[in-house]
Structure formats: C-alpha cells, structure tokens
C-alpha cells in the first residue's frame, strides 16, 4: 500500500489532502483497502454512491450498455439519454434537460442560461447573479465565482464579474440587493460544504416571491441534495417551491460522472443550437447507468429508506450531543447530516478511519455524514458507538 501512495504522490497533482489508505473494492456500504481492512463508508464518494458500491442492477446496466455503444457525441440521438431526460422531466418542474459531466459544469450551464435568457429578451445589461455566503457551487471559474467562500477563491483572482453575495436565510439582505440588474438568485437548499446549513422554513417561498416581483430567475443547486439524499427526490420538494433552473450531479450516476441542468421551457428555449455544448455530456454509456440508478430509487423505495435511516441516525446523533459537551449542534435532513463541534474535526475523522469508519469534515469543525441511502441501523449503531468512545476519550 505504501508503494502505491508514494508512486501516486510523485505523479499526481497534490490538489487533495488524501488519507493514507488505498481503496480496492466496495460492496453496499462497505469498502476494503489493499491490505484487506474493511471500512463502513459514511462518505459515499462525497454523496455520490447513493445506492451503495457496485449495486448489481447498475453493474448489469453498465455491462449491457458497454456491449452496445459507449459514445457517439451529441450530434446524434440515443435511447438512454432520451429516456433519462424523460424520467427527470416527468418527476420535476422542468421541461428540458441538458447533460454534462459534473456538478461544476452543470452550474456553468445554469449561469450561462440565466444570462442568455435575459440577453435574448433584449436585456443585455441584466447579468448579476446573487448567491449565498458560505455557498459552494464548484471549482471552475464561473462556478467558483458564484461560490460564497473566500478560501475556495484564494489565489485565483480575478473572479468573473457579475456575482454578489448575501447571507443565507436572510431574506431582508436579499431584498436589499434585488434590482432590475439581477438576472438570477442561486442557492443550495442545504449548504453541504458550508457546514450542513438548511434553508429555514419559508425561506425558499420568500426567495421565489422576491424573484417573481423583480422578474429574476431562481436557480437551485441540488447537486448534493438531489436524487433522494434528503428523503425527497429533490430537496425543494419539501417546500413545494419550484425554481426556473436546477442543477444535479453527484447521486445521479451513482458513481459514474454525469451532471444535468434542468429548466422550464420558457427559460430553456434561450439555449438554441450552438449556444452551449458538451462533447461527453450524456453519453449512452453514462446515461444508461444513471437511468437504471434513477429507476432503482423507485423500485427499491429508496426515499422511504432514506427518511427512516436519516431519522434514526439523527436521533442517535442527538443522543451523543446530550452526552458530550464538545458537540454544539446536530444539523441536516435525511442522510445529509452534520455535527458541529467546539473543536476541529480532523482528529475525529482520523480516529474513525483507524477504527474502520470513513467520515469527513467541512468548515474544519463540522463532521459530515453522507452514507449510501441504503445504510442500515446496525451500521449506524456501529459508528455511533465509535464516535461515543472517541468523544469520551477527548474529554477524559
């Protein structure tokens, strides 16, 4: 294992602070390293592997499609891409879907579409997009410019112009920034990277009303919250407040790289032939896997399982909070949960890994739990016992 780590560190960009394990295989909620050590995975590839590792249905879909067709570009029609788009449209506010390769690319498309929409209407000066402080929308230049965290942008100035920021859940601050120069408001229903901060009750409705009052578009970044992560197919379904544009990625392909931007016909029609594109976006190989993953969500009642497991997990984390003063808050919804600490979380992440549990930390002080949506109560109990022991050791 050390040889692989040394070789990797010598030839791959050091853009990630990797943990010193080499993962080799996975099944369900478990992964194994090259030494055979088993881990229960509460990271799930950063909220990607919603159905667990190597789900047999998706593996079969990949095998079947691999024997038919990998890639032909978007110069031609394919059945898997069409059927996946139809599946998403039938279950959302949207009329049209644009496929790409990642969440950042989906957000780039959303930013471009919102500006193009007003340009086509003859309002070329209307390009400002308001986003939220502590938001995270990706690491490409447009998505990074929309991100409300200075640490993400450090060293990459100048950012793209036309972005401004307001505190999350502060409708008065947003109202003060609204004008006829604002083309869109962009937000995550739950700020995952920002510390697992949920939109407060009524906030999305108030944002929608402000956008309608000023003629601006509403963009939801559901890259982390989408495809069942919170217990609804899309997190904004809890509030029943539809956007004009929505972006998806992580859980959509259950491990295969795919992003999607969804929009209403009114807004989406601004993208005409040649306005935008993606060579690899929505290949038959990838969309066949994503289509099967989407169908499994319904066939295996994954949303119900997520709600039940999330509720159980949350109750156990609340129990830990009562026992350990180091826990400030328990946050989140469904299986997007966070524990804010009085201390930095890195040492707890490391101790958990040593004991066979993969978790991660955001904002330095918030443990984030985003396991596969098929995580069992037994597996949750094992992690809770591990955390209990670690936290007790910290205060001893």
């Amino acid at each position: 294992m050390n040889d692989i780590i040394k070789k990797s560190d010598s030839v791959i960009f050091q853009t990630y602070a990797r943990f010193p394990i080499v993962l080799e295989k996975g099944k369900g909620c478990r992964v194994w390293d090259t030494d055979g050590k088993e881990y229960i995975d509460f990271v799930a590839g950063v909220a990607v592997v919603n159905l667990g590792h190597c789900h047999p249905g998706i593996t079969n879909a990949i095998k079947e499609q691999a024997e038919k067709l990998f890639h032909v570009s978007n110069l031609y029609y394919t059945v898997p891409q069409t059927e996946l788009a139809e599946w998403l449209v039938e279950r959302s506010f949207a009329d049209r879907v644009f496929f790409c390769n990642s969440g950042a690319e989906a957000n780039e498309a959303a930013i471009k579409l919102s500006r193009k929409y007003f340009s086509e209407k003859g309002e070329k000066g209307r390009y400002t997009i308001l986003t939220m402080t502590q938001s995270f929308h990706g690491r490409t230049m447009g998505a990074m410019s929309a991100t409300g965290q200075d640490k993400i942008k450090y060293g990459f100035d100048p950012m793209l112009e036309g972005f401004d920021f307001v505190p999350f859940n502060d409708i008065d601050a947003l109202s003060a920034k609204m004008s006829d120069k604002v083309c869109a408001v962009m937000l995550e229903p739950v700020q995952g990277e920002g510390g697992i901060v949920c939109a407060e009750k009524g906030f999305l409705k108030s944002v929608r009303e402000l956008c309608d009052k000023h003629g601006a578009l509403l963009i939801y970044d559901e890259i982390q919250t989408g495809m069942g992560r919170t217990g609804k197919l899309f997190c904004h379904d809890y509030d029943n407040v539809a956007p004009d544009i929505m972006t998806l990625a992580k859980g959509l392909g259950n491990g295969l790289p795919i992003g999607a931007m969804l929009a209403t016909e009114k807004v989406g029609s601004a993208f005409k032939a040649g306005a935008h594109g993606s060579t690899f976006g929505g290949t038959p190989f990838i969309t066949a896997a994503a289509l099967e993953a989407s169908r499994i969500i319904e066939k295996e009642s994954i949303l119900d399982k997520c709600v039940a497991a999330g509720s159980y997990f949350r109750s156990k984390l609340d129990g830990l909070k009562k026992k350990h003063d180091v826990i400030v808050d328990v946050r989140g919804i469904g299986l997007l949960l966070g524990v804010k600490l009085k201390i930095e979380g890195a040492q707890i992440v490391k101790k958990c890994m040593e004991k066979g549990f993969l978790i991660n930390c955001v904002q330095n002080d918030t443990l984030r739990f985003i396991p596969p949506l098929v995580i069992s109560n037994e597996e949750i109990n094992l992690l809770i016992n591990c955390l209990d022991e670690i936290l007790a050791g910290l205060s001893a």
Side-chain angles (χ1 to χ4, degrees):
M1 187 157 65
N2 287 336
D3 288 344
I4 293 294
I5 292 172
K6 287 179 182 176
K7 188 179 295 183
S8 177
D9 285 346
S10 70
V11 295
I12 294 178
F13 267 100
Q14 299 296 292
T15 52
Y16 294 95
R18 298 178 194 261
F19 295 101
I21 57 174
V22 181
L23 297 177
E24 186 175 48
K25 64 179 182 179
K27 184 176 182 181
C29 299
R30 313 281 176 124
V31 291
W32 288 263
D33 67 19
T34 49
D35 288 339
K37 182 175 179 178
E38 180 180 319
Y39 304 84
I40 303 179
D41 186 1
F42 284 82
V43 178
V46 191
V48 167
V49 192
N50 275 5
L51 304 175
H53 296 276
C54 301
H55 188 290
I58 300 172
T59 300
N60 287 336
I62 291 171
K63 288 179 178 176
E64 289 177 9
Q65 188 60 43
E67 293 176 350
K68 292 179 182 175
L69 190 67
F70 272 63
H71 174 72
V72 291
S73 90
N74 284 299
L75 294 174
Y76 310 99
Y77 297 95
T78 68
V79 173
Q81 184 187 88
T82 303
E83 292 188 348
L84 178 60
E86 185 178 45
W87 193 95
L88 291 168
V89 164
E90 288 177 350
R91 289 157 182 80
S92 73
F93 70 96
D95 302 303
R96 295 192 177 275
V97 183
F98 174 84
F99 288 113
C100 48
N101 306 289
S102 68
E105 200 180 332
N107 279 337
E108 293 283 343
I111 291 165
K112 288 180 66 176
L113 177 61
S114 61
R115 291 179 172 179
K116 185 71 169 174
Y117 171 74
F118 285 104
S119 177
E120 291 290 303
K121 289 179 63 177
E123 299 180 59
K124 294 183 181 296
R126 186 165 188 164
Y127 57 78
T128 297
I129 298 175
L130 299 179
T131 80
M132 308 293 128
T133 54
Q134 294 303 106
S135 62
F136 180 79
H137 298 295
R139 296 181 186 274
T140 53
M141 284 306 297
M144 185 169 60
S145 298
T147 292
Q149 298 187 51
D150 290 341
K151 69 176 185 180
I152 302 294
K153 304 176 182 181
Y154 180 76
F156 297 108
D157 288 330
M159 294 293 109
L160 300 185
E161 66 173 304
F163 293 92
D164 202 353
F165 306 90
V166 298
F168 192 39
N169 283 322
D170 189 337
I171 196 66
D172 292 335
L174 181 63
S175 180
K177 291 274 188 178
M178 292 296 284
S179 73
D180 60 3
K181 299 298 183 186
V182 173
C183 78
V185 175
M186 184 175 187
L187 61 85
E188 304 153 281
V190 180
Q191 291 188 334
E193 174 65 27
I196 322 296
V197 182
C198 298
E200 294 175 354
K201 187 173 178 59
F203 181 65
L204 297 185
K205 181 174 183 288
S206 296
V207 175
R208 176 77 268 180
E209 289 172 353
L210 264 182
C211 287
D212 292 344
K213 177 181 177 182
H214 292 273
L217 302 179
L218 177 57
I219 304 171
Y220 289 152
D221 176 341
E222 292 239 23
I223 287 164
Q224 187 163 149
T225 54
M227 303 313 293
R229 170 57 54 185
T230 67
K232 295 281 190 182
L233 188 59
F234 311 116
C235 186
H236 71 267
D237 289 342
Y238 279 107
D239 296 82
N240 197 28
V241 179
D244 302 289
I245 302 172
M246 176 173 70
T247 54
L248 300 172
K250 292 182 180 296
L252 183 57
N254 205 61
L256 276 76
I258 182 171
M261 178 193 66
L262 287 69
T264 61
E265 178 66 32
K266 174 185 173 184
V267 176
S269 61
F271 263 5
K272 297 178 173 58
H276 194 53
S278 172
T279 297
F280 290 104
T283 68
F285 183 72
I286 300 293
T287 49
L291 178 62
E292 182 62 21
S294 300
R295 288 171 172 166
I296 289 171
I297 288 175
E298 291 180 332
K299 283 191 295 187
E300 299 187 3
S301 302
I302 297 298
L303 299 182
D304 292 340
K305 291 178 181 176
C306 176
V307 170
S311 177
Y312 182 78
F313 199 171
R314 176 67 182 256
S315 71
K316 292 295 181 180
L317 292 174
D318 285 335
L320 286 182
K321 180 176 182 295
K322 292 176 181 174
K323 287 183 65 177
H324 302 285
D325 291 341
V326 72
I327 295 178
V328 176
D329 193 18
V330 177
R331 302 168 171 172
I333 183 170
L335 284 170
L336 175 52
L337 296 171
V339 168
K340 185 175 174 59
L341 304 166
K342 293 178 181 175
I343 60 173
E344 292 193 355
Q347 57 182 319
I348 296 174
V349 173
K350 182 182 177 185
K351 289 179 183 294
C352 280
M353 192 176 69
E354 291 170 353
K355 293 176 180 293
F357 299 91
L358 302 183
I359 67 170
N360 88 324
C361 181
V362 292
Q363 299 295 312
N364 293 324
D365 63 358
T366 303
L367 303 177
R368 178 170 57 173
F369 305 103
I370 40 179
L373 306 185
V374 293
I375 193 82
S376 68
N377 287 357
E378 179 187 4
E379 290 166 324
I380 291 169
N381 287 340
L382 291 171
L383 175 66
I384 293 296
N385 291 339
C386 173
L387 288 170
D388 193 15
E389 183 179 320
I390 292 171
L391 293 172
L394 290 176
S395 59

